[in-house]
Each structure stands twice: as structure tokens, then as C-alpha cells.
Amino acid sequence: MSSSELEPPLEPGSEPGELASTVVRGAGLASAGFVMTQLLALGFFVVLARLATPADFGDLAAGTLLVNIGLMFTESGMLAALIHRKDRLEEAASTATVATALGGLGMALGALAVSPLIGALFQSSRVGDIAAASAGLLLLRSLVIVPEALLQRRFSFLRRVVIEPFGVLVFGISAVVLTANGLGVWGLLLAYYISNFADVLLSWSLLRWRPRLRRASMAMWRELVRYGRWGVASSALQAAEQQVPVVLLGRVAGAAPLGQFRYAVRMEATAGAIVVQSAAYVLFPALARITTDRDRFQDACLRSLRLMAMIGFPLALILVPLGVPAATIAFGEVWKDAGYAAMVLAGMTAVGTLISFASEVLKADGRPDILTRIRTVTLIAASLFMVLLLPFDLIGICAGLTLGAAVGATYAMVAVGRQLEIRALSLARAALPAGFAALTMVATLTPLEFLVIDASAHETAIGVVLLISETLLGATIYLFTLRLVSPENADELVLLVKQLLTRRDSSHADQPPDGEPESPPETEALSG
């Protein structure tokens, strides 16, 4: 698969049809790559569920607390700043390479220094040892930020269709071999190191660009930080939102419920996150190119919201009826609690589609400061709900996250409406038909599964067939309801599917638009 086939260049000012074609094609490639990655990961975690215990996964989640927080800091600021950058890209990319590498090294040393505090927080010396051993992941992850940003801004989907699936494959094979030989949580951690090292090598190999260190400068670093600081702040808040339940569960309930929580999150990532990850990957760079044409920008945002809702809502909410049987059949009876947690988290993933939409729109429009406010509201609301519902342990934590995400999504839609000067009613009309159809699917399928079918009570093969049948039935109910309440939305969804399935001729994108000069030689490799 050649690089040129995956990264059609598209300059600012290109025709609407060209941008729409690239975005649809890109979303299709990103979705295919993400689905492949998630299916690979799910397959390996099915095996790992029988080789490692919930306590092993819980200790790993607790021990990598600092790593997960640090990754959010190292990734978002420079990543967003490079994607949004419109000039002096060679200098910016070289500067970002140096900055992210030094930042990753500093954060790795800092995580190593404070790792004993993590052990004390969770009252476990084993967790403290894991925290110290995992610190180096911060350095490895920082080394792929620049390649990831440059591939994304040029609409190259090598990361989605090659790099990420390969990383999961490397992790899965390593983790299965190591845990099968009795290494438990240490085998899982070592597999993460092997996977991240492979990610670094493959990312730089496929980028076809190398930094020029003499082009790095403090002046450019300050420019990047000036834009990226809001991304860092937003990511810090998002990291806190993701790690607060880890702290609460690990401290109060113990390692096993925390392991169940991590598997529930894995199930959600396999379902509703497909549209969030795939669409977000192309929305930011695509929308950033048309912000000066406000009418076109508004129309593109509304269409993006409709399509994200139509795909994201049903994919997320299907786990309300099917979460428990899916977890039990795939991972074993010991992971049944993860299925109940996934049922509750389905609502968080659904409304998270709206927050993801708002995030990409606001970053593209140069207003990441508003995104920081959205993350603040979400974090405060989720934390309050989680503390109030903590007596219900795992289910209470998941319910708190879902309620907090609902509050954040509501605020996000209000903020986006004000920024885009779009009436709240127009935004609601874009998302409500899909929401109603998805809830109808849930209301029909849930009692059918729990009162009649009970797929997990059957033999594994029969249970799998029943799950597939229920999924197809749910899709039929959803599409039929969507057709009834909003025929135009249903037609738009069908058109999108046809576009994704149709091989499009992208040869026209290989030439710059009329009147646009060729890229200078020094930036050609960066701008695509």
C-alpha cells in the first residue's frame, strides 16, 4: 500500500466537493483501521481474560495512573498545534520534535520519582513497583507525537490502517506469550513496552520526513505553546476525569473491581468509540481549512453532528441490552460485572459523541479555550456524581461518569451553538432523531434479552449466534425507527454508506487547485 494512495493532498480553498470527498474517504479509512484495531484488541483481551485475573488488570490500571495522566499532557498540546499550523511547518515540526522528546524524558523521570506515592495511595507496594517500571512509557509515547500530527494533518491514514493495528498485534502476541508463562501483570506491562517501541520505529519509518534540529527555535516553541496550552489544559482535565474513577475504585473497592472497570471501558472502546475516534481523526484538519467561509463551516458542522449521532448513538447504546451477555460469553463468568458496568457506561459513550464533536469543531475554529471550560464542567459534574454514588461501588462509579458526561455534553452543545452562531434548535434537530431511534432500539431489545433470550445462559456457540442475531435485530429496529421519524436523515446515512463503499477516484487531488503554487521543496514532505 503506497503512501500516495492514502494521503491525498488538499489545500485550503479547495472546492467543497474535494474536501467532502477526502473527509468521507478519510473517515472510511480511519473507521476501517480503527475497527480492525479494536477487533484485534478484543480478540487478544478475550484470551488475556483467561490468562490474567481481574486483580492483575486492576493493579496495572492503578500502577499506570501517572503514565495515563502524563500521556494526555505530552500528546495534546503539540499535536493540536502542529495540525492547526498554517505556515513555517518545517520549523514548527522540528521544534516540536525536540520539545516533545525532552518533555517526555522529563515526565518519565518525574513519574519515576513519585512512584512510591502511587503505591502509598493504593496501599500496595506492588502498585508502586508497577508505577516505577512503567515510567519509561512516557518517553516512548512522546516520540510518536510529531509523526502522528503530520500524518493526520496531511490526511494520511497510515496510522489508522497500518501503525495502530500493527501495534495491537505486537502487544497482543507479546502479552499472550508472557502471561501464558506466568508473568501476570508484569507480562502485560512488558508487552506495552514492546508495542510502544514498535510504534516509534514504524511511525518514523512511514513518515518519510526527518527533523532538522538546526531549524528548532525557542521562538517557534513559544508560538506552538501559545496555541497548545489550551489543549494541554483540556487534556489535563480529561485525564483527571478518566483517572478519578481509577483512584476511587482502587482505593475504596480494591483491585478486582478496578479490573472489571477497565474491561468495561475496553468494551465501550470497541463499540461507540469507533465513530468518535474515526470522525475526530478527520474532522479537525478538515474543518480547520474552511473556518473563514462561515456558511460552509456551519453547514459542515451540522452535517458532521448528524452523521456522528446517527452512527455513534446506536453503536454505544447497543451495550445496554447486550453488555452482560457479551462480557460473559467473550471473557467468562468471572467478568460478568464488567458487562453490567458496560451497560451503564453506554450512556457516557453515547453523549461522548457530542463532546467529541464539540472538541473538534472548537479546536478547528481556534477556540480551544472553550473546550477547556467544557472539560472543567464535565470533570466537576462527574466527580460529584461519582462521590455521591460511591456506596454502589463499580456501578455507582460508572453511573457518575455517565451523568457527568451528560452535563458536559449539554454545556458543549450550548457553547458550540454560541461559537458558530447556530440556534440550539438546529443543533437539537441534528442529533435528536438518531437519539430517539437508538433509545427505541434499547427499549425493545433490553427486555427481550433479559426476559426471553438470555444469550449467556446457552452454550458458547449458541450464545454467539444469539448475540449476532440480537445485534442485527437492533440495527433493523434502529434503521426502521430512524426512517419513520426522519426520512431525510435516513437517506443521508444511506448516502454516506454508499460513498464509503464506492471506490472513489482521487487522482484529481494529486494536483494543486488552480492558482495555487506548488509546495516548496523543503515543506513538500510535511504538507503532503
Side-chain angles (χ1 to χ4, degrees):
M1 186 179 296
S2 69
S3 175
S4 61
E5 290 175 337
L6 291 178
E7 48 192 61
L10 196 64
E11 299 299 327
S14 57
E15 291 301 316
E18 294 177 345
L19 184 57
S21 173
T22 299
V23 170
V24 169
R25 178 176 176 271
L29 286 170
S31 298
F34 190 77
V35 168
M36 179 168 54
T37 300
Q38 293 303 314
L39 290 178
L40 276 174
L42 180 62
F44 284 122
F45 274 93
V46 167
V47 178
L48 291 172
R50 291 160 173 80
L51 297 174
T53 66
D56 285 331
F57 283 98
D59 284 339
L60 182 65
T64 54
L65 175 70
L66 289 175
V67 171
N68 290 326
I69 293 175
L71 288 178
M72 302 296 283
F73 277 100
T74 57
E75 287 181 6
S76 183
M78 287 296 172
L79 185 75
L82 276 180
I83 294 173
H84 191 264
R85 189 82 193 174
K86 293 181 172 62
D87 62 354
R88 297 156 61 204
L89 189 55
E90 178 82 25
E91 181 183 349
S94 297
T95 300
T97 301
V98 175
T100 52
L102 292 177
L105 177 60
M107 297 195 74
L109 294 175
L112 178 62
V114 302
S115 58
L117 299 179
I118 299 300
L121 175 63
F122 290 97
Q123 300 176 320
S124 169
S125 60
R126 185 192 196 200
V127 169
D129 292 340
I130 295 170
S134 64
L137 291 172
L138 285 166
L139 174 59
L140 287 176
R141 187 63 187 87
S142 71
L143 298 178
V144 300
I145 293 172
V146 171
E148 181 175 347
L150 296 179
L151 288 172
Q152 185 176 350
R153 69 169 282 129
R154 67 167 73 156
F155 292 101
S156 169
F157 302 98
L158 288 170
R159 178 149 200 90
R160 280 289 189 260
V161 301
V162 177
I163 300 173
E164 290 180 0
F166 180 75
V168 169
L169 188 64
V170 171
F171 165 79
I173 294 174
S174 303
V176 168
V177 171
L178 293 170
T179 54
N181 282 278
L183 291 182
V185 67
W186 298 108
L188 296 172
L189 181 57
L190 183 56
Y192 276 117
Y193 267 101
I194 297 172
S195 174
N196 277 269
F197 185 71
D199 191 352
V200 173
L201 293 180
L202 191 58
S203 294
W204 282 102
S205 298
L206 294 178
L207 180 61
R208 298 184 297 117
W209 172 83
R210 296 296 178 266
R212 302 181 184 182
L213 300 184
R214 60 184 175 81
R215 301 293 300 273
S217 68
M218 286 297 297
M220 175 56 70
W221 178 79
R222 284 191 290 268
E223 289 184 30
L224 294 173
V225 169
R226 193 175 301 121
Y227 177 88
R229 69 184 188 275
W230 293 111
V232 171
S234 175
S235 292
L237 293 166
Q238 186 178 5
E241 180 188 346
Q242 293 173 351
Q243 300 309 314
V244 165
V246 173
V247 173
L248 291 176
L249 276 175
R251 175 79 180 185
V252 176
L258 179 54
Q260 298 279 0
F261 174 76
R262 299 304 296 178
Y263 254 72
V265 172
R266 166 60 56 186
M267 293 174 66
E268 289 298 329
T270 305
I274 290 175
V275 65
V276 172
Q277 294 292 331
S278 303
Y281 193 78
V282 295
L283 272 185
F284 180 19
L287 293 177
R289 297 167 184 247
I290 59 172
T291 53
T292 55
D293 187 343
R294 299 308 288 183
D295 290 338
R296 182 182 175 192
F297 184 57
Q298 290 174 347
D299 290 342
C301 289
L302 285 173
R303 184 168 188 247
S304 299
L305 176 58
R306 285 196 304 271
L307 293 173
M308 288 182 71
M310 282 191 286
I311 300 173
F313 287 174
L315 284 177
L317 294 178
I318 192 66
L319 284 181
V320 174
L322 302 186
V324 173
T328 305
I329 293 171
F331 308 131
E333 186 69 25
V334 70
W335 294 98
K336 191 172 186 176
D337 285 348
Y340 286 112
M343 286 181 63
V344 182
L345 287 176
M348 181 193 73
T349 306
V351 297
T353 301
L354 303 179
I355 297 178
S356 177
F357 161 78
S359 172
E360 306 312 315
V361 168
L362 292 171
K363 286 189 296 184
D365 208 22
R367 294 302 306 272
D369 54 308
I370 301 178
L371 177 58
T372 301
R373 295 202 294 269
I374 295 172
R375 293 295 184 192
T376 301
V377 170
T378 305
L379 173 61
I380 293 174
S383 298
L384 288 175
F385 283 123
M386 281 189 287
V387 170
L388 289 174
L389 297 172
L390 189 57
F392 298 96
D393 292 334
L394 176 61
I395 299 303
I397 291 294
C398 294
L401 283 170
T402 295
L403 292 171
V407 173
T410 302
Y411 181 78
M413 288 297 98
V414 172
V416 167
R418 290 174 178 171
Q419 176 64 20
L420 299 181
E421 298 180 342
I422 296 177
R423 294 185 304 163
L425 183 59
S426 297
L427 290 173
R429 283 176 176 169
L432 281 179
F436 179 80
L439 290 175
T440 301
M441 174 192 71
V442 170
T444 306
L445 212 55
T446 302
L448 184 64
E449 161 58 30
F450 282 90
L451 299 179
V452 180
I453 297 176
D454 192 8
S456 61
H458 298 79
E459 295 292 334
T460 301
I462 297 176
V464 170
V465 172
L466 290 174
L467 276 180
I468 295 174
S469 300
E470 289 182 85
T471 302
L472 294 175
L473 176 60
T476 302
I477 295 170
Y478 171 75
L479 293 173
F480 179 74
T481 307
L482 184 64
R483 170 65 64 179
L484 285 180
V485 299
S486 181
E488 61 276 13
N489 279 18
D491 290 339
E492 190 171 22
L493 181 60
V494 171
L495 177 61
L496 174 66
V497 173
K498 288 181 178 178
Q499 288 176 324
L500 291 175
L501 295 177
T502 301
R503 181 178 179 86
R504 302 184 66 88
D505 180 10
S506 60
S507 60
H508 64 275
D510 293 332
Q511 302 296 327
D514 292 340
E516 289 286 335
E518 296 286 350
S519 300
E522 67 175 9
T523 62
E524 215 169 56
L526 293 180
S527 64

